Amino acid sequence: MEKFYKYKTVLIKFSLVLFCFLPLGCANRQAGEKKDGAELEFFAMDTFMRVLAYGEEENSELAVNAAKEEVERLENLFSTGIKTSEIAKINAFGEGAVSEDTLSLLKRAKELCTLTEGTFDISIYPLMRAWGFPEKTYHVPSDTEIARLKKKTDAAQIVLSEEEGYVSFGMEGMQIDLGGIAKGFASERIMEIYREKGIVSGLVSLGGNVQVLGTKPDGSLWHIALQNPDGGEEYLGVLQIKDCAVITSGSYERYFEQDGVRYHHILDPATGYPADSEFVSVTVVSEDGTLADGLSTALFIMGKERAIQFWREHSKEFDAVFYTKEQELYVTEGIVKAFSSKFPVNLIEREP
């Protein structure tokens, strides 16, 4: 992956807003660029989204509007919160016919579950509901309830019939949630739309998920700032990238407190409880947005030792930035030259 990145030290001040990733330097267009670019902001998939496209003026407008329509279409297929979605219907009835997109994403999710040895598991939805995260009705479930629901958590029991376009569950009471992978899939689809519309430079920011096409209009690399989970104006660092996705998962994003204890939303399928991880945030950089989305969650759950070993086994597919509870910053070898930070950086090499 080294060929996709370039090193340049930068010192940039930027106000940290709603996104985990902040595209620096792409909002202020040079004189003469505006006619070639289009930008659109909207709310979908339970988050604020921003899409930028540069090409022929008419194509740019068509591209960002098509991107918004595609995200909304996918949300209507995948969302557990929309009763008419394909996923919601499967959860309600335990089976059902699905579109090619839903089947494709379910297949990718099952592959990621296998690849991560069950760490990424979309069948964890009943446990997520028990903790109250989907409906924001937070509470700590009993050990008995967690043990009962854990028995219904097994992605291997999601049966896909690709020829018939049909999905069923091998156990009664199973439910699934594609929230940990759907935005990455959506950002990849937007990249496809951009290419079809003749866009040569583009960016999508879907909540904490960023994916870019090519370079910025002036030929320079995109600058993506990583939010510091500890707060304040300082960010963890800046990545300079092109043609890839940058996606983060963190315990600081969604959590609640009960009896003085903080519980975050990233549940470990092996325990049914919030993952007891050394990490506060995990950022994954990959050409594959779907992979990056799923792995950011899986690596967080794995913890430092397992996550580093997993990267070494799959370093051709992705790179990562890890930030720990001890305020230590780790960056994998493939992107260290593309990453600049005011904080000390610990290099993770391919060979220990």
Side-chain angles (χ1 to χ4, degrees):
M1 290 200 43
E2 291 175 316
K3 65 181 180 180
F4 295 100
Y5 311 102
K6 180 181 177 182
Y7 174 75
K8 180 180 179 183
T9 301
V10 293
L11 298 176
I12 305 170
K13 292 290 185 181
F14 197 89
S15 174
L16 298 183
V17 289
L18 294 174
F19 303 117
C20 295
F21 296 98
L22 307 170
L24 303 182
C26 60
N28 298 321
R29 300 187 182 96
Q30 300 294 325
E33 285 183 1
K34 188 172 183 180
K35 66 179 181 180
D36 298 325
E39 177 179 354
L40 192 61
E41 295 181 352
F42 57 97
F43 188 85
M45 293 186 173
D46 202 30
T47 191
F48 288 98
M49 301 190 172
R50 180 186 182 203
V51 291
L52 293 168
Y54 294 90
E56 296 296 330
E57 183 176 9
E58 183 178 354
N59 290 353
S60 298
E61 293 288 345
L62 290 172
V64 295
N65 286 315
K68 178 177 181 290
E69 290 174 3
E70 178 66 0
V71 170
E72 292 172 344
R73 185 184 72 85
L74 294 175
E75 180 178 27
N76 285 323
L77 293 178
F78 303 151
S79 176
T80 57
I82 298 175
K83 293 182 179 180
T84 55
S85 79
E86 292 181 349
I87 296 301
K89 288 179 179 179
I90 294 168
N91 285 343
F93 300 107
E95 60 182 354
V98 296
S99 63
E100 183 178 346
D101 286 320
T102 300
L103 194 64
S104 175
L105 190 52
L106 287 171
K107 184 178 179 181
R108 286 297 305 274
K110 283 175 63 68
E111 290 170 351
L112 265 174
C113 182
T114 301
L115 182 68
T116 61
E117 298 180 336
T119 307
F120 180 81
D121 193 334
I122 61 170
S123 69
I124 202 170
Y125 188 55
L127 283 162
M128 292 290 290
R129 294 188 66 188
W131 286 89
F133 285 108
E135 295 86 9
K136 298 180 176 61
T137 55
Y138 310 116
H139 71 283
V140 179
S142 68
D143 293 344
T144 301
E145 185 178 10
I146 289 174
R148 178 180 64 84
L149 294 175
K150 264 187 61 185
K151 295 177 181 179
K152 302 180 184 298
T153 303
D154 183 1
Q157 297 295 321
I158 304 170
V159 182
L160 307 180
S161 177
E162 294 188 54
E163 291 185 2
E164 299 176 4
Y166 204 81
V167 179
S168 60
F169 298 145
M171 293 188 295
E172 186 177 349
M174 285 186 68
Q175 291 185 324
I176 56 177
D177 179 13
L178 292 171
I181 196 173
K183 293 186 186 70
F185 183 83
S187 67
E188 280 202 79
R189 293 301 296 269
I190 292 173
M191 294 297 105
E192 292 175 12
I193 289 170
Y194 281 2
R195 294 185 185 97
E196 291 169 1
K197 302 292 185 185
I199 301 303
V200 296
S201 172
L203 175 145
V204 299
S205 179
L206 311 182
N209 296 30
V210 170
Q211 190 157 353
V212 299
L213 174 66
T215 61
K216 291 195 290 183
D218 63 4
S220 63
L221 299 175
W222 296 96
H223 295 182
I224 308 299
L226 276 60
Q227 183 176 331
N228 186 342
D230 297 331
E233 293 186 358
E234 296 291 343
Y235 39 79
L236 289 183
V238 176
L239 278 164
Q240 297 193 64
I241 60 169
K242 66 175 182 178
D243 290 321
C244 67
V246 181
I247 296 177
T248 250
S249 288
S251 57
Y252 62 96
E253 296 172 325
R254 292 169 57 196
Y255 61 87
F256 70 94
E257 293 185 3
Q258 183 172 313
D259 299 326
V261 179
R262 176 180 289 194
Y263 300 92
H264 62 77
H265 75 292
I266 305 177
L267 301 187
D268 184 346
T271 66
Y273 289 86
D276 183 14
S277 173
E278 299 98 324
F279 296 138
V280 179
S281 70
V282 171
T283 300
V284 175
V285 182
S286 175
E287 297 173 52
D288 185 338
T290 307
L291 178 72
D293 202 3
L295 283 185
S296 65
T297 300
L299 295 173
F300 183 97
I301 296 169
M302 289 180 190
K304 187 169 74 173
E305 184 176 341
R306 283 184 62 201
I308 290 174
Q309 182 57 37
F310 185 90
W311 172 76
R312 286 180 173 143
E313 294 170 358
H314 303 277
S315 62
K316 293 182 179 180
E317 300 171 56
F318 75 96
D319 276 288
V321 178
F322 303 119
Y323 185 64
T324 72
K325 294 175 181 176
E326 302 300 321
Q327 298 183 320
E328 295 174 318
L329 187 60
Y330 293 85
V331 181
T332 58
E333 184 178 351
I335 55 171
V336 71
K337 291 183 178 180
F339 184 79
S340 58
S341 177
K342 293 183 178 180
F343 299 98
V345 173
N346 298 285
L347 171 65
I348 302 174
E349 297 180 297
R350 291 188 176 90
E351 295 295 332

